[in-house]
Amino acid sequence: MDLMVEASPRRIFANAHTYHINSISVNSDHETYLSADDLRINLWHLEITDRSFNIVDIKPANMEELTEVITAAEFHPHQCNVLVYSSSKGTVRLCDMRSSALCDRHSKFFEEPEDPSSRSFFSEIISSISDVKFSHSGRYMMTRDYLSVKVWDLNMESRPVETHQVHEYLRSKLCSLYENDCIFDKFECCWNGSDSAIMTGSYNNFFRMFDRNARRDVTLEASRENSKPRASLKPRKVCTGGKRKKDEISVDSLDFNKKILHTAWHPLENIIAVAATNNLYIFQDKIN
């Protein structure tokens, strides 16, 4: 018989969330973890399943006054008292649990001022942050919005230190992406083990990698057709207008049903995992 692998729950932590849980993050103390939904973040002890402590609550007294929701949350990799959470308004709040038990007052507030010249009907939707991740060093954090990835220095709240465009060519397509609901897709992002590169997904089974030191970026594709074992991935280019070169793919022929929302990077080696619809691809750096 084929080997069947089955996951069986060891513990179930129940009855603490009214809305869908969007984030779970284990604390560096290895004793507690957080879980976040649209309006609340709860702190749990790993050994206690029947009660949690509410540390962030942004639910207004009148739900009609609700203007933003929590989209992601994570603990700092080394400081067990520090956590961040991002919002649908494009902001990130850093909280220190030492200053007060209920983190309703943040200690740092990260927001990039909007360029008034580029404001449009979609500005608020595309500025919503879908993922936030601390670097392994704990000095930086990365946020992913609909069109870009930003790297922030925790010591500078006013603007990011790096902005990487993921698929800027989609800016002219926002109308149709709104109509087919793709504009609400939640892309994740991740760091490599040394924090020198970052990765995030896109459409057409494309994923993007940015080398922070060399200031280089590449678009690669995870698909059955080009995933023969030992075959090298060829960089892909998207043509935005004018004459299309031989190897380029036109914006109009991108498949928006094929999207890579989840990616992961091995903590020590150059091995990545990419989830493309119902396929999981694992790639490794070419060994000469």
Side-chain angles (χ1 to χ4, degrees), residues 24 36-37 39 62 65 70 87 91 96 100 148 164 174 180 187 193-194 196 198 202 246 255 264 271 283 285 287-288:
I24 290 177
D37 67 23
L39 299 178
N62 177 5
E65 292 168 8
I70 296 166
S87 97
T91 62
D96 187 339
S100 74
S148 65
H164 303 281
L174 292 177
N180 64 15
F187 291 97
S194 62
S196 63
I198 52 186
S202 179
K246 188 171 143 250
D255 187 341
I271 299 174
F283 302 109
D285 209 7
I287 300 152
N288 297 327

Side-chain angles (χ1 to χ4, degrees), residues 25-34 43-46 75:
S25 175
V26 178
N27 196 332
S28 58
D29 64 10
H30 298 301
E31 285 185 2
T32 56
Y33 75 92
L34 67 76
L43 181 69
W44 301 82
H45 193 285
L46 285 162
F75 268 124

Side-chain angles (χ1 to χ4, degrees), residues 74-143:
E74 191 181 45
F75 268 124
H76 191 280
H78 313 303
Q79 296 167 15
C80 61
N81 51 293
V82 172
L83 66 120
V84 290
Y85 68 92
S86 58
S87 97
S88 55
K89 280 198 160 172
T91 62
V92 176
R93 291 171 175 84
L94 182 139
C95 303
D96 187 339
M97 293 194 295
R98 285 181 308 193
S99 54
S100 74
L102 185 67
C103 300
D104 48 2
R105 285 194 300 275
H106 51 266
S107 46
K108 287 191 177 185
F109 183 74
F110 299 85
E111 180 179 30
E112 185 171 30
E114 190 190 29
D115 177 5
S117 64
S118 64
R119 177 144 188 88
S120 74
F121 170 75
F122 305 109
S123 294
E124 200 164 304
I125 304 172
I126 62 172
S127 68
S128 175
I129 292 172
S130 54
D131 198 15
V132 59
K133 291 271 169 59
F134 278 111
S135 63
H136 296 87
S137 68
R139 163 99 192 255
Y140 300 97
M141 70 176 173
M142 158 169 61
T143 58

